[in-house]
Amino acid sequence: GAVVSQHPSWVICKSGTSVKIECRSLDFQATTMFWYRQFPKQSLMLMATSNEGSKATYEQGVEKDKFLINHASLTLSTLTVTSAHPEDSSFYICSSTTGGYNEQFFGPGTRLTVL
Amino acid sequence: GEDVEQSLFLSVREGDSSVINCTYTDSSSTYLYWYKQEPGAGLQLLTYIFSNMDMKQDQRLTVLLNKKDKHLSLRIADTQTGDSAIYFCAEIRTNTDKLIFGTGTRLQVFP
């Protein structure tokens, strides 16, 4: 089946630093990737939709300069949290779709803790 | 409203059936999904139902769809301790690829 990986699984960083999270589709080409954010005991909130070779589409309320998304190839999308602050601490999950019945395949998530 | 609503918590005894309910918002949603999330992990697609279906059965899972009431349910037969997780329903909003997730139901199965 379709496998999506994320790296790293868990990152702890100091306030003010930038953190890059990678999302890879391992056995398929993903034209579209999605980035979600999940706070503890809450649902997933879509942050942005990224298409290979074009700019990401951000959801309302998500700062594009804060959360930089690069979808440089059909198998890799990256999310960079710039100048991270404690309120950015969250679980970030990516997913990708191959079309069909719109099934999205989810990565295992990256837990970001900003001190 | 815009929210996809679920009850927060459900606790059942091992071997009993579990029913998780979801109320969605977009009557034009083409697909509706159920996902499972174990602690600290991503989401696993359990099953989905196309909007022109009333019911779908897949082994221990039964999905019921009431389009009139915009109500979706997931029944897990013979619930096991390994079924303990958070379950999210999700809908695809019309003319988009966006998944809108429900608030999540934490299922706890005790021996």
Side-chain angles (χ1 to χ4, degrees), chain A residues 1-111:
Chain A
V3 178
V4 176
S5 71
Q6 281 185 241
H7 176 81
S9 300
W10 192 5
V11 56
I12 302 174
C13 69
K14 290 183 179 179
S15 188
T17 59
S18 293
V19 174
K20 180 184 283 188
I21 302 170
E22 292 184 349
C23 175
R24 292 182 187 272
S25 57
L26 297 185
D27 52 0
F28 66 101
Q29 293 186 327
T31 53
T32 304
M33 287 187 170
F34 302 88
W35 286 96
Y36 296 85
R37 182 174 183 176
Q38 185 181 30
F39 289 107
K41 299 187 190 231
Q42 293 190 25
S43 188
L44 279 75
M45 299 300 296
L46 179 65
M47 298 173 67
T49 304
S50 116
N51 292 294
E52 185 264 340
S54 62
K55 290 184 179 179
T57 303
Y58 290 81
E59 294 299 299
Q60 193 172 8
V62 178
E63 298 174 58
K64 59 180 68 175
D65 295 329
K66 171 79 173 174
F67 299 99
L68 300 177
I69 291 173
N70 185 305
H71 193 159
S73 77
L74 285 171
T75 59
L76 174 64
S77 176
T78 61
L79 167 68
T80 301
V81 182
T82 61
S83 187
H85 290 282
E87 58 265 29
D88 299 322
S89 299
S90 189
F91 195 52
Y92 292 87
I93 304 176
C94 71
S95 72
S96 57
T97 178
T98 62
Y101 53 86
N102 300 108
E103 179 177 358
Q104 290 187 22
F105 301 95
F106 285 82
T110 297
R111 184 165 302 283

